[in-house]
Amino acid sequence: MRVSKGYWFWGQFDESSTQELTELQAQAGRFLQGPTFDIHLTLAGPMGEIDNNIVDLFFSLKEQLHEVEVQCVNYGCREKYYQSLFIEVLKSEKLTELKNLLDKTFALEPRHFFPHISLFYGEEQESKKNSVISQLPKVPNKACLKKVSLVKVDEEVELWKVIHQIEIG
């Protein structure tokens, strides 16, 4: 069952990757109407509640975190609201290590890891999504994960709010 409220860990990108990916998101949004959200790659979650101990633990990871260059594979779409239209990302060893570190540190239930960068959330016919994909420029070769964010999520009111963030080097 999908958890619609809680706290998740996102990977967010350096400035140039963020600009490029946000432009692709905006181009998709010209054809598809969906909620607005920051460009990201979901790494781990959910956690029900957080307290100061969790926040302290989060910031204590700074020395263990390193930027990760992710390889973008291609555009994809599914019949899932939150995986409706996206850029598929190669599940590399470094990306998997980052996810596993978060899972282990916060005692999260391991979940299937499908790394992707969503461009659109919503319900839309596959033919329309494929038409949008055909009009988008070539997928960027890579993007640089430069931040790990702790994000409050409440899908019932379409809220995705970065609560805390670590810049990684």
Side-chain angles (χ1 to χ4, degrees), residues 91-110:
K91 192 186 329 186
S92 69
E93 190 175 324
K94 281 187 173 184
L95 194 55
T96 302
E97 284 172 5
L98 176 56
K99 184 220 182 331
N100 291 343
L101 174 65
L102 293 166
D103 283 348
K104 183 177 174 193
T105 301
F106 296 96
L108 297 171
E109 198 67 36

Side-chain angles (χ1 to χ4, degrees), residues 113-133:
F113 187 39
F114 172 64
H116 65 283
I117 303 164
S118 287
L119 299 177
F120 165 72
Y121 293 158
E123 293 175 6
E124 191 55 74
Q125 292 181 348
E126 189 171 347
S127 59
K128 184 165 184 181
K129 290 187 282 192
N130 284 324
S131 173
V132 170
I133 288 170

Side-chain angles (χ1 to χ4, degrees), residues 29-45:
R30 288 198 261 289
F31 303 100
L32 303 166
Q33 273 62 58
T36 303
F37 55 92
D38 291 345
I39 210 78
H40 67 279
L41 189 156
T42 301
L43 295 167

